[in-house]
Amino acid sequence: MIEILTNRLMIIPCSLDIAKSLVFHRKELDKRSPIEIPASWPSAYVRGFLPYYIESLEKDDKDLDCGVWMIILYEEKKIIGDIVMQGKPVQEQNVRLTYHIEEATTDGSIAYEAIDAFIDWLTYQMAVKKVVMECEVQDKESIRLFDKLGLICTKKDGEFFTWEIQKEEE
């Protein structure tokens, strides 16, 4: 299993078993899991996305164009957020990311640490050339985060900004 480790975090893909348990057996998962799972996790976006994700994993879809990743605060053994990756990193070399960090843990540095590590892994292990993220125009925290990560705002579409970072060609 893939593990992305930082000083405080472990970022791992959400397995088929965990995804199914989140949908069909949440109470049992909460009781048996060695990792604390907050009642507010997964995010609303991921909850809506899980049926498609489960179906794709059950088909053993090798061309799966998405992935749900769990952000775990390692020392506390607690899930604090998620990252959803859409795109085919190996084929198209670009992905779209969406993230959510539990509000109780948002000091800004956790989100930076998680997204920075994930982008590093994507660019070095998966040969991704471009990462795209979006945020609402009034989402000052995400705007600061994306700017700090080195993403560039490339488009404004209504109430949303599109941000991108591209790996330099060598």
Side-chain angles (χ1 to χ4, degrees), residues 5-169:
L5 301 172
T6 70
N7 290 337
R8 299 180 286 179
L9 305 174
M10 180 184 336
I11 305 165
I12 58 173
C14 182
S15 69
L16 176 59
D17 290 339
I18 292 173
K20 281 182 161 180
S21 294
L22 284 167
V23 173
F24 301 112
H25 308 288
R26 176 61 191 246
K27 287 181 184 175
E28 191 66 26
L29 178 64
D30 288 342
K31 278 193 260 180
R32 292 179 182 230
S33 177
I35 297 171
E36 180 185 340
I37 304 171
S40 59
W41 188 85
S43 63
Y45 180 78
V46 170
R47 275 194 303 271
F49 187 70
L50 279 174
Y52 168 76
Y53 185 63
I54 290 168
E55 185 178 321
S56 296
L57 289 174
E58 283 179 333
K59 284 188 216 171
D60 197 22
D61 190 349
K62 299 294 183 218
D63 291 329
L64 185 63
D65 63 353
C66 62
V68 176
W69 295 70
M70 300 176 291
I71 303 170
I72 300 167
L73 194 55
Y74 192 76
E75 294 258 328
E76 295 181 23
K77 292 188 177 18
K78 177 181 179 181
I79 296 174
I80 59 165
D82 49 65
I83 298 172
V84 175
M85 176 183 66
Q86 296 174 306
K88 294 182 166 81
V90 176
Q91 292 174 344
E92 298 170 6
Q93 297 185 320
N94 62 61
V95 296
R96 180 174 293 273
L97 299 180
T98 305
Y99 79 98
H100 172 79
I101 304 285
E102 294 292 317
E103 288 184 22
T105 60
T106 50
D107 65 359
S109 68
I110 293 274
Y112 177 83
E113 190 173 327
I115 302 302
D116 186 51
F118 198 76
I119 290 173
D120 278 352
W121 176 78
L122 285 170
T123 56
Y124 294 109
Q125 298 297 318
M126 303 297 287
V128 167
K129 301 278 189 239
K130 180 166 80 170
V131 175
V132 178
M133 300 182 82
E134 288 183 347
C135 71
E136 293 181 357
V137 172
Q138 71 270 13
D139 187 351
K140 302 292 184 213
E141 282 184 39
S142 289
I143 291 169
R144 271 193 302 278
L145 172 64
F146 297 164
D147 189 49
K148 187 175 176 182
L149 286 165
L151 280 80
I152 297 170
C153 185
T154 58
K155 184 169 113 182
K156 180 181 183 217
D157 187 10
E159 293 296 311
F160 292 93
F161 287 134
T162 300
W163 296 76
E164 296 180 2
I165 189 166
Q166 292 194 348
K167 184 177 177 186
E168 297 292 323
E169 294 295 326

